[in-house]
């Protein structure tokens, strides 16, 4: 399925392990640079109040400034959504579960960073809080090549609540 955009949520800091930045999971700037170097278009969505803190003068691509985090997520969802920080990751996963979108959600699990989350999801499923099929909404990949392949082959699990219908207006206004 061709994609117009891939939305990447990740930390604005590099973390302590240099491999995160090497794999472009620890820095928004690393991801933007890699996309630009590979002739892709970069579109950033930044909250006005954070732009002063995070803007280091090395802007890559186009940036849309928005008033708050809810508008940021809404804008990213409208542009083709993904996930990243825990809250955003889980919200995008929930949106997929309740059929607001059926877009791929890929975890690039550098150095096992997401292993505790994956264990928690499996535990929650074993305890009956997450339908077993819905544990497949997120696809875990251990390399960039795996992640790129998963983007091309992703199929949302049939256990999602596909009977729920959302209008475009409703889907874009969910916060």
């Amino acid at each position: 399925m061709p994609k117009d955009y891939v939305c990447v949520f990740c930390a604005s800091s590099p973390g302590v392990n240099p491999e995160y930045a090497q794999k472009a999971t620890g820095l928004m700037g690393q991801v933007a640079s890699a996309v630009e170097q590979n002739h892709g278009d970069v579109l950033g969505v930044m909250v006005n109040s954070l732009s002063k803190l995070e803007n280091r003068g090395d802007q890559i691509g186009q940036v849309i400034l928005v008033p708050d985090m809810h508008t940021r997520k809404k804008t990213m969802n409208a542009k083709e959504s993904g996930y990243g920080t825990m809250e955003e990751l889980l919200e995008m996963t929930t949106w997929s579960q309740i059929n607001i979108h059926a877009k791929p959600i890929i975890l690039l699990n550098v150095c096992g960073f997401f292993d505790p989350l994956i264990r928690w999801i499996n535990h929650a499923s074993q305890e009956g809080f997450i339908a077993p099929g819905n544990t497949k909404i997120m696809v875990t990949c251990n390399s960039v090549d795996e992640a790129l392949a998963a983007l091309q082959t992703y199929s949302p699990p049939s256990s999602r609540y596909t009977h729920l219908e959302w209008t475009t207006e409703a889907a874009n206004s969910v916060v």
Side-chain angles (χ1 to χ4, degrees), residues 34-87:
V35 169
E36 188 176 68
Q37 289 170 8
N38 287 284
H39 310 290
D41 294 323
V42 176
L43 174 63
V45 182
M46 185 175 286
V47 177
N48 282 324
S49 60
L50 294 176
S51 68
K52 295 172 186 77
L53 177 65
E54 295 181 1
N55 187 352
R56 296 171 186 91
D58 54 352
Q59 177 178 316
I60 299 170
Q62 178 187 354
V63 174
I64 298 173
L65 292 175
V66 295
D68 54 53
M69 292 299 284
H70 292 295
T71 305
R72 179 177 183 257
K73 287 184 282 187
K74 179 180 169 184
T75 302
M76 289 187 289
N77 183 57
K79 296 289 185 188
E80 294 293 329
S81 235
Y83 60 89
T85 62
M86 284 305 149
E87 187 267 339

Side-chain angles (χ1 to χ4, degrees), residues 15-169:
V16 296
N17 184 337
E19 193 166 344
Y20 297 143
Q22 290 168 355
K23 300 287 197 242
T25 63
L27 290 171
M28 288 181 243
Q30 287 289 110
V31 173
S33 292
V35 169
E36 188 176 68
Q37 289 170 8
N38 287 284
H39 310 290
D41 294 323
V42 176
L43 174 63
V45 182
M46 185 175 286
V47 177
N48 282 324
S49 60
L50 294 176
S51 68
K52 295 172 186 77
L53 177 65
E54 295 181 1
N55 187 352
R56 296 171 186 91
D58 54 352
Q59 177 178 316
I60 299 170
Q62 178 187 354
V63 174
I64 298 173
L65 292 175
V66 295
D68 54 53
M69 292 299 284
H70 292 295
T71 305
R72 179 177 183 257
K73 287 184 282 187
K74 179 180 169 184
T75 302
M76 289 187 289
N77 183 57
K79 296 289 185 188
E80 294 293 329
S81 235
Y83 60 89
T85 62
M86 284 305 149
E87 187 267 339
E88 292 164 328
L89 166 62
L90 295 176
E91 184 167 14
M92 289 298 123
T93 302
T94 299
W95 286 11
S96 177
Q97 179 182 339
I98 63 175
N99 201 40
I100 290 175
H101 74 81
K103 301 165 191 170
I105 298 176
I106 310 296
L107 289 176
L108 185 54
N109 194 25
V110 174
C111 298
F113 181 82
F114 286 109
D115 287 351
L117 175 65
I118 296 162
R119 283 192 302 273
W120 177 82
I121 290 168
N122 289 329
H123 176 71
S125 177
Q126 291 167 354
E127 296 297 318
F129 295 109
I130 297 174
N134 286 342
T135 64
K136 306 283 189 261
I137 290 173
M138 286 186 235
V139 176
T140 304
C141 299
N142 294 311
S143 71
V144 172
D145 288 339
E146 274 184 55
L148 293 173
L151 282 171
Q152 298 300 314
T153 61
Y154 181 79
S155 179
S158 60
S159 55
R160 293 167 56 252
Y161 303 116
T162 56
H163 62 283
L164 298 175
E165 295 183 27
W166 304 89
T167 65
T168 302
E169 181 179 312

